[in-house]
Amino acid sequence: MLSVATRLMPANGFHIGSLSPCLRRQALRSFSELSSGSGLPLSPNHDIYVSLSSDPYFNLTFEDWLFRHSNPSKPQLLIYRDAPCVVIGRNQNPWTEVNFSVLRARGVPFLRRRSGGGTVYHDMGNTNFSIHLPRSSFDRHSTGELVLRAVRSLGIDARLNERNDVCVGTDKMRSAYKIVSQRAYHHGTMLISTELETLGDVLRPEQGNIVTKGVGSVRSPVCNLQRFDPSLTHEVFTAAVITKFQEEYGVSQKPFIVHESESIKSNDYIGSGMAELATWDWLFGQTPEFTRILDQTFSWGIVHLQIRSKHGIIQDFSARISDTCLQNADLDAFCNFTRSLYQGCKYGFIDDLGDIQRSRTDLNKPEHIGAEWFMHVREVHSWLQSTLNIR
């Protein structure tokens, strides 16, 4: 059984005193102390959860745990915030969605969530909501309307677009959905005071000429709610969503406050789920098939490459050379050797040439090829590493 501390105090992040009088009363009702004891067992059967963790690995895993373990017939709400990170959809290609150079420079991780939808940037200036419903009664427009009513209750004239995203003017806040068997959920991000410059930088991919079978993000202008009301906070929006959820589904139960604790993370499902989100197999091995075309001019010719990758592994690698002084035999040897060199490598994680040769006993450099030819191979390899690698 999981356990959490359930005493909610202002020091935990909900600064009740900063709210307007009306919303202060709502917040006090919503965020009142759940128990006078030191803790209660965490159950998937509460109506409303508010996570105080800012760890995206924990929050995404907790959301999935709730989705998988709760009563299929029970409406539920989860609200949380994350430290800066980029979250891509389950069926997306990270190389067409994020800028890895900026992520590295700013120390921002990227995660692949377990639901579909597009890529989003999370930080403590945006609030994530997740509405879980029985599949039989799940309606994307209805859940979008619930969040819309919450935003409008704050005095902001918003609307829903055709994708059920909450929009203010031409700017929007994103949503995603997951449906399995008897359960479904709608989750999204509400930008309140997020760093929009960072959002734009990290979601501006640097790799081009990629044709992917993955789901691409629909890129649209976004804005913060504080643009329309500088006094708006995470706490205010949270209180508004909780109120509208309670009204919509006739819920009277107080929110369950989730603290990230060692007892929760020691649970097999949550512990293993958090670990899986950080693995190469999940982050990159889930990437749908894609093809990338590259051209580069060297002093000895122009190299044209076509790389096909599936599940993060290079499946096919074809090369040809134009405008070159190399002999035909050398061209054939170069193309054949590079094909055998890179097929089976992890796209974006190409090892040093010597390491590849030492680990691959099936690689045989043609004996009649001299040092000058192999120097060209080294040049191409260095170019590929600098172009493809994200480390």
Side-chain angles (χ1 to χ4, degrees), residues 150-186:
V151 174
R152 285 180 171 173
S153 74
L154 302 175
I156 296 175
D157 185 19
R159 63 178 178 84
L160 285 186
N161 68 7
E162 68 283 353
R163 298 173 59 86
N164 298 304
D165 294 314
V166 175
C167 300
V168 183
T170 59
D171 300 322
K172 77 171 187 176
M173 293 76 187
R174 297 181 182 274
S175 297
Y177 309 90
K178 185 173 180 66
I179 300 174
V180 301
S181 187
Q182 303 176 55
R183 196 76 166 147
Y185 66 74
H186 168 189

Side-chain angles (χ1 to χ4, degrees), residues 8-16 18 31 52 81 233-235:
L8 180 63
M9 303 295 288
N12 287 330
F14 291 96
H15 306 292
I16 304 301
S18 66
F31 303 140
L52 298 188
R81 289 190 294 179
T233 63
H234 164 71
E235 294 83 0

Side-chain angles (χ1 to χ4, degrees), residues 18-270:
S18 66
L19 307 184
S20 65
C22 176
L23 286 170
R24 185 182 299 119
R25 288 192 294 272
Q26 292 179 0
L28 285 170
R29 288 198 302 270
S30 299
F31 303 140
S32 60
E33 191 175 288
L34 296 180
S35 170
S36 59
S38 60
L40 291 172
L42 178 61
S43 162
N45 295 317
H46 294 278
D47 297 316
I48 300 169
Y49 296 81
V50 178
S51 173
L52 298 188
S53 172
S54 61
D55 181 346
Y57 297 94
F58 173 80
N59 285 325
L60 289 180
T61 303
F62 181 82
E63 179 182 58
D64 186 62
W65 172 83
L66 182 64
F67 179 63
R68 302 285 180 181
H69 291 81
S70 58
N71 184 337
S73 64
K74 190 178 185 68
Q76 292 176 307
L77 171 68
L78 168 64
I79 296 180
Y80 61 92
R81 289 190 294 179
D82 286 330
C85 63
V86 171
V87 183
I88 69 172
R90 176 164 188 161
N91 302 310
Q92 290 197 293
N93 184 329
W95 288 283
T96 62
E97 297 295 328
V98 302
N99 188 308
F100 287 104
S101 296
V102 175
L103 290 184
R104 282 197 307 272
R106 303 193 183 187
V108 175
F110 99 90
L111 297 84
R112 183 189 296 274
R113 64 177 175 268
R114 293 180 170 89
S115 64
T119 299
V120 291
Y121 172 70
H122 289 181
D123 64 13
M124 296 300 283
N126 87 42
T127 300
N128 304 290
F129 57 87
S130 180
I131 302 171
H132 299 234
L133 293 168
R135 182 173 182 175
S136 59
S137 61
F138 180 74
D139 179 80
R140 300 178 183 187
H141 185 73
S142 295
T143 52
E145 284 283 349
L146 187 154
V147 179
L148 177 65
R149 289 195 298 273
V151 174
R152 285 180 171 173
S153 74
L154 302 175
I156 296 175
D157 185 19
R159 63 178 178 84
L160 285 186
N161 68 7
E162 68 283 353
R163 298 173 59 86
N164 298 304
D165 294 314
V166 175
C167 300
V168 183
T170 59
D171 300 322
K172 77 171 187 176
M173 293 76 187
R174 297 181 182 274
S175 297
Y177 309 90
K178 185 173 180 66
I179 300 174
V180 301
S181 187
Q182 303 176 55
R183 196 76 166 147
Y185 66 74
H186 168 189
H187 62 180
T189 62
M190 185 58 61
L191 305 180
I192 296 173
S193 59
T194 199
E195 293 289 340
L196 294 181
E197 183 177 351
T198 300
L199 181 153
D201 290 343
V202 297
L203 300 187
R204 189 177 296 114
E206 55 190 336
Q207 296 197 14
N209 296 325
I210 293 179
V211 178
T212 180
K213 293 184 178 180
V215 176
S217 293
V218 178
R219 301 184 184 276
S220 303
V222 296
C223 68
N224 283 318
L225 288 186
Q226 282 192 354
R227 171 179 161 190
F228 307 97
D229 182 353
S231 69
L232 266 178
T233 63
H234 164 71
E235 294 83 0
V236 170
F237 176 71
T238 297
V241 173
I242 287 176
T243 297
K244 295 307 175 185
F245 181 84
Q246 290 171 327
E247 292 174 357
E248 177 72 16
Y249 299 108
V251 171
S252 59
Q253 190 184 75
K254 298 174 182 178
F256 194 95
I257 308 305
V258 181
H259 298 258
E260 181 187 350
S261 66
E262 292 305 317
S263 62
I264 292 181
K265 293 190 292 186
S266 65
N267 171 268
D268 288 344
Y269 193 92
I270 291 188

